[in-house]
Amino acid sequence: MIPARYQASRFPAKLMQDLGGKPVIVRTYEAAVNTELFDEVYVVTDSPIISDVIQGIGGKVIMSKRAHESGSDRIAEAVEDMDVDVVINVQGDEPFIDAESLGKIIKVFKNDTEKEIDLGSLMTPITDWEEISNPNTVKVVVDHQGFALYFSRSPIPYPRDKEVEATYYKHKGVYVFRKRALMDFQKLSMLPLEAKEKIEAIRFLEYGKKIKMVETHVTGIEIDTPEDLERARKVWK
């Protein structure tokens, strides 16, 4: 499921911007399909513009019936009546998503025979301090088993002791849900930490859900700003 909102707050209409001759949302949809990991791939949107462009390439679209606060809420409505166990959420601004990273996280769920994991997601190590301190880059810290402790737009952990080595991880915009956890999500109201940081994964932590993070070294570009789009265009070439 690829949630796609036309009016993004930081970069309106970003999903319809050109990337190598096609809109960003089309590049993301095609990347997800080309992994060959999924039974079905859908774009979930409230925008007739996005719907038309995806249907124009023969893609599958589900139109949202209600307004939604987050991509997860949008997907929960879309899969409510579907007979599925696991749902993967790939953000619409992730045109560089790859089969290797997605395959790793899907394997985690296949191996979770007791179904203890509510949610899985991806993280990649980062070393550039400008990126670490950039609020558009969401960081995550994990426990010794790889479960998320917290997500933040601030640098976490804070480097008070410069002599202590710590790896900083960037959260990538991919979520893998057990359907039941996704159904729970849409019933849970937003709490202060999520509202403050504007990071929907925090809602799961605030309500005690378990998020398994999987490390990947495949780096892409999430398109949050016009500057990101320019970098993405250079990489695409």
Side-chain angles (χ1 to χ4, degrees):
M1 294 289 174
I2 304 172
R5 195 160 54 100
Y6 186 79
Q7 288 297 347
S9 55
R10 282 174 291 181
F11 187 3
K14 68 177 180 179
L15 298 184
M16 291 300 298
Q17 299 299 312
D18 180 79
L19 179 58
K22 296 181 181 180
V24 169
I25 186 61
V26 170
R27 291 298 188 190
T28 302
Y29 180 84
E30 290 178 340
V33 170
N34 290 340
T35 65
E36 299 183 344
L37 291 170
F38 307 117
D39 300 307
E40 301 283 358
V41 177
Y42 295 92
V43 168
V44 189
T45 186
D46 57 1
S47 166
I49 296 170
I50 290 174
S51 175
D52 287 348
V53 77
I54 294 298
Q55 289 182 321
I57 62 163
K60 297 180 179 179
V61 176
I62 297 175
M63 292 296 292
S64 298
K65 300 170 187 172
R66 304 186 297 272
H68 295 284
E69 288 283 339
S70 70
S72 298
D73 288 312
R74 190 177 300 283
I75 290 173
E77 180 198 282
V79 304
E80 191 168 7
D81 297 322
M82 289 187 180
D83 182 19
V84 294
D85 178 40
V86 172
V87 180
I88 292 88
N89 172 352
V90 175
Q91 308 282 37
D93 58 5
E94 290 265 5
F96 296 95
I97 198 63
D98 65 290
E100 180 186 339
S101 301
L102 288 171
K104 278 185 181 179
I105 199 167
I106 290 169
K107 188 176 180 181
V108 165
F109 277 77
K110 287 184 175 178
N111 293 338
D112 181 31
T113 54
E114 300 300 314
K115 297 189 176 182
E116 295 176 338
I117 299 171
D118 298 301
L119 177 63
S121 197
L122 293 171
M123 62 183 186
T124 185
I126 50 176
T127 55
D128 177 47
W129 186 251
E130 186 175 336
E131 185 173 23
I132 292 168
S133 56
N134 186 339
N136 287 323
T137 301
V138 175
K139 278 70 65 175
V140 59
V141 288
V142 297
D143 67 15
H144 70 287
Q145 293 181 306
F147 286 98
L149 295 171
Y150 192 61
F151 300 85
S152 183
R153 297 184 182 279
S154 297
I156 51 173
Y158 181 79
R160 182 178 178 184
D161 191 331
K162 299 290 193 294
E163 295 180 8
V164 176
E165 289 293 325
T167 302
Y168 288 85
Y169 289 103
K170 175 182 181 177
H171 179 218
K172 290 175 68 68
V174 173
Y175 298 106
V176 183
F177 300 94
R178 292 235 177 260
K179 184 184 175 183
R180 65 167 189 267
L182 186 56
M183 292 300 98
D184 287 346
F185 182 87
Q186 66 175 345
K187 299 171 189 171
L188 302 173
S189 58
M190 189 184 294
L191 295 177
L193 292 177
E194 180 194 1
K196 192 74 172 175
E197 295 256 22
K198 294 294 185 287
I199 302 170
E200 64 191 80
I202 292 175
R203 190 183 313 182
F204 285 92
L205 297 182
E206 288 187 274
Y207 283 99
K209 301 285 187 185
K210 297 182 75 171
I211 306 178
K212 179 74 170 181
M213 301 300 299
V214 176
E215 183 173 340
T216 175
H217 291 269
V218 178
T219 56
I221 299 171
E222 294 108 30
I223 299 172
D224 288 316
T225 66
E227 292 75 24
D228 293 336
L229 179 62
E230 287 308 311
R231 287 195 298 128
R233 285 170 173 166
K234 289 175 184 175
V235 170
W236 202 270
K237 286 181 182 178

